[in-house]
Amino acid sequence: MSGRRALARLLPLLLLVVLAGPFGSAAAHGAGRPLPPVVSRVPTHDRVVFLTVDDGWYRDPAAAGILRDRRVPVTLFPLPGAVDQDPGYFRELTGGRRSAVGNHTVGHPDLPTLDAAAQRQEICAARDRLAPVFGRAPGLLRPPFGHHDDTTRAAARRCGVRALVTWTHDFTTWTDTPPPVPRLRRGDIVLLHFTPTLAADLTRALDAAREAGLTPAPLGRYVR
């Protein structure tokens, strides 16, 4: 009987060891934390707007010059393959801590079409490739196409993401005609892309911010 009582006392401890192990630990995988929020606009009383730029395959010196000369803070969501082609270009844009780099996955897939393991691989592998280049792991994720589900959010949490960022307005010129310029409001998130029209699109966004009495601000300071 004493042996059975001793075993009964040990079972909870054994269970705790199993759960705390490398495969069962909820804390190790972030499962104990809430899912990261999805942010398309930042609620703030500050008169600020947030500029974000995606992808990175076309690297225009003119656009870089605007950001550098006017000291415009932006959040970049580059693909690791584009960064590998010209890391100096992106390092210049993030110099002086005015701007930061977020996660945009490795292959730009439609994440909800993938299973949990594949989503996690896309997000975590992008983190691991960007962190050595920029000196820190990205804390924000821009899901490609803005598409996401709860599996995406759970995968992002396990990869250290604190928030998924979509957008309020897309200023990218996707056709021969630039899109209509909306009236910007405080807290809006503007989407841009590294395309041949980035310099012009960026200028339109900055003009729209000025007309609305808004100042570009670092997104990472407001999304924590």
Side-chain angles (χ1 to χ4, degrees):
M1 182 65 69
S2 61
R4 290 181 179 178
R5 282 198 297 267
L7 180 59
R9 291 176 180 175
L10 283 174
L11 281 176
L13 294 175
L14 291 173
L15 180 60
L16 180 62
V17 169
V18 171
L19 290 176
F23 298 101
S25 172
H29 298 306
R33 303 194 307 271
L35 294 178
V38 180
V39 180
S40 61
R41 189 170 179 275
V42 177
T44 178
H45 294 294
D46 297 342
R47 299 200 61 81
V48 295
V49 66
F50 307 99
L51 305 184
T52 66
V53 192
D54 284 10
D55 298 346
W57 297 117
Y58 189 91
R59 296 173 290 276
D60 183 9
I66 293 172
L67 295 174
R68 181 186 62 247
D69 297 342
R70 298 175 64 172
R71 301 178 64 82
V72 180
V74 293
T75 301
L76 311 179
F77 291 96
L79 298 168
V83 173
D84 290 344
Q85 290 181 359
D86 193 354
Y89 180 88
F90 296 98
R91 285 200 194 99
E92 179 186 359
L93 293 181
T94 57
R97 299 292 184 183
R98 293 188 307 276
S99 302
V101 169
N103 191 324
H104 199 35
T105 73
V106 172
H108 205 280
D110 189 352
L111 286 171
T113 67
L114 306 179
D115 63 23
Q119 292 200 47
R120 188 165 62 250
Q121 171 63 21
E122 280 285 340
I123 299 168
C124 287
R127 172 203 63 193
D128 294 343
R129 290 175 62 178
L130 293 174
V133 179
F134 299 101
R136 63 174 59 188
L140 303 178
L141 169 69
R142 163 73 46 78
F145 315 106
H147 296 172
H148 58 84
D149 57 16
D150 281 349
T151 302
T152 309
R153 296 170 67 198
R157 176 180 60 189
R158 294 182 66 171
C159 298
V161 170
R162 66 178 184 270
L164 281 67
V165 178
T166 57
W167 57 89
T168 319
H169 303 289
D170 186 353
F171 271 68
T172 308
T173 301
W174 293 114
T175 65
D176 293 337
T177 304
V181 177
R183 175 73 176 180
L184 294 180
R185 297 183 299 159
R186 65 185 73 192
D188 282 354
I189 299 173
V190 172
L191 173 63
L192 300 155
H193 288 80
F194 286 101
T195 64
T197 64
L198 176 56
D201 297 340
L202 181 59
T203 299
R204 287 188 299 109
L206 291 171
D207 289 346
R210 186 180 63 253
E211 289 179 9
L214 303 173
T215 301
L219 181 61
R221 294 182 185 175
Y222 287 79
V223 180
R224 298 185 180 276

